[in-house]
Amino acid sequence: MVWRGDDCRVILVDDGDLPGFCRVIWNRHQADMTDLTYGEREHLMSLVFVVEEAVRHVMKPAKVNLAALGNMVPHIHWHVIPRFQDDAFFPGSIWSARTQETPASLLAVRHQLAFELPEVIRGLISRLY
């Protein structure tokens, strides 16, 4: 758990292939974004954008993927995923078949960087509210 508010929480996902992968999760069980009020949507997306900003700043990925799928668990949550040309699934989605192996030395550096994310995310959120 990186941060928890009344409506949302931010977690750092423990994924060996994708250091820096975060989720922004709506606390109440709602299936779709349109189940939320306009104000709730704005609040949630502000948090998603803050997490994306932190991931870009700390992890320095080639690209950040944002995804809100929730097909198996109908609960609103956003995936914030740093992507690198050498990640295990590039250029496909992280849910596709592996295409390569990321060098262990690069993964180790990225895992170390990911330890910085909670502080940066909390700092950016504190500026919102």
Side-chain angles (χ1 to χ4, degrees), residues 35-108:
D35 291 336
L36 304 178
T37 67
Y38 286 105
E40 290 169 335
R41 294 175 205 174
E42 184 176 316
H43 170 59
L44 177 58
M45 293 313 298
S46 292
L47 292 170
V48 169
F49 298 143
V50 158
V51 173
E52 178 187 9
E53 181 179 351
V55 166
R56 289 183 66 200
H57 175 75
V58 171
M59 303 302 297
K60 307 273 192 273
K63 178 76 174 86
V64 174
N65 289 174
L66 299 178
L69 304 169
N71 295 329
M72 298 302 291
V73 179
H75 184 179
I76 296 171
H77 61 282
W78 283 84
H79 303 271
V80 182
I81 311 155
R83 298 302 306 276
F84 300 88
Q85 291 181 344
D86 59 16
D87 76 45
F89 309 98
F90 193 85
S93 79
I94 67 163
W95 297 280
S96 59
R98 297 173 80 82
T99 57
Q100 59 194 345
E101 290 298 320
T102 306
S105 59
L106 287 177
L107 278 175

Side-chain angles (χ1 to χ4, degrees), residues 25 62 106 119 122:
I25 304 167
L106 287 177
E119 184 178 338
R122 287 190 292 267

Side-chain angles (χ1 to χ4, degrees), residues 6-48:
D6 293 338
D7 297 317
C8 303
R9 63 190 181 274
V10 177
I11 64 168
L12 184 58
V13 177
D14 183 14
D15 188 311
D17 289 317
L18 300 163
F21 179 179
C22 296
R23 282 195 193 101
V24 180
I25 304 167
W26 190 253
N27 290 335
R28 291 187 321 274
H29 285 279
Q30 300 287 344
D32 295 300
M33 289 290 291
T34 53
D35 291 336
L36 304 178
T37 67
Y38 286 105
E40 290 169 335
R41 294 175 205 174
E42 184 176 316
H43 170 59
L44 177 58
M45 293 313 298
S46 292
L47 292 170
V48 169

